[in-house]
Amino acid sequence: MDTGLCAFLVGWLTPEVLERGAMSGALLETWVISEIIKSYLHHGRTPRLSFYRDKEQREIDLLIEENETLYPIEIKKTASIQNLGFKGFDVLKNLKVPVGHGGVICLVNTLVPLSEGVDAIPAAYL
């Protein structure tokens, strides 16, 4: 979960090289999830985290479970909400559990509502 060590070990030593790296999106996902885990642990709480992938290969990067409700999170390496490629969290309706407000954590500068139940959230907020 140490993305700084990972970047060093693969030789991505500048922000420019890291941005262009083939695995930069995966590295961002790892960083976001590790920051969320650290936040829970810092507050003395145990995170209840998972992800979703079905046989049609539809996936959601992160599901946070709180009080029997799932809060879906997508993580995207983009600063443009037009380029998010976000299809929504409708696939969770099949699970027959309550689904709370979702988020797309990305490189936007401010919180941007994408729909009634989903916001684009700046990664810098973490």
Side-chain angles (χ1 to χ4, degrees), residues 1-3 28-43 49 62 105 123-126:
M1 287 186 11
D2 188 333
T3 54
L28 177 66
E29 286 184 14
T30 301
W31 178 80
V32 166
I33 292 170
S34 68
E35 290 299 307
I36 290 170
I37 290 170
K38 288 190 285 185
S39 178
Y40 270 90
L41 297 176
H42 177 74
H43 289 93
L49 309 177
L62 180 62
I105 298 176
Y125 280 15
L126 300 176

Side-chain angles (χ1 to χ4, degrees), residues 100-119:
H101 201 86
V104 179
I105 298 176
C106 55
L107 304 178
V108 295
N109 291 322
T110 61
L111 188 73
V112 179
L114 297 176
S115 68
E116 186 174 323
V118 180
D119 293 328

Side-chain angles (χ1 to χ4, degrees), residues 10-38:
V10 296
W12 295 341
L13 303 179
T14 67
E16 296 77 25
V17 171
L18 180 60
E19 179 68 26
R20 291 188 312 266
M23 296 298 292
S24 61
L27 204 59
L28 177 66
E29 286 184 14
T30 301
W31 178 80
V32 166
I33 292 170
S34 68
E35 290 299 307
I36 290 170
I37 290 170
K38 288 190 285 185

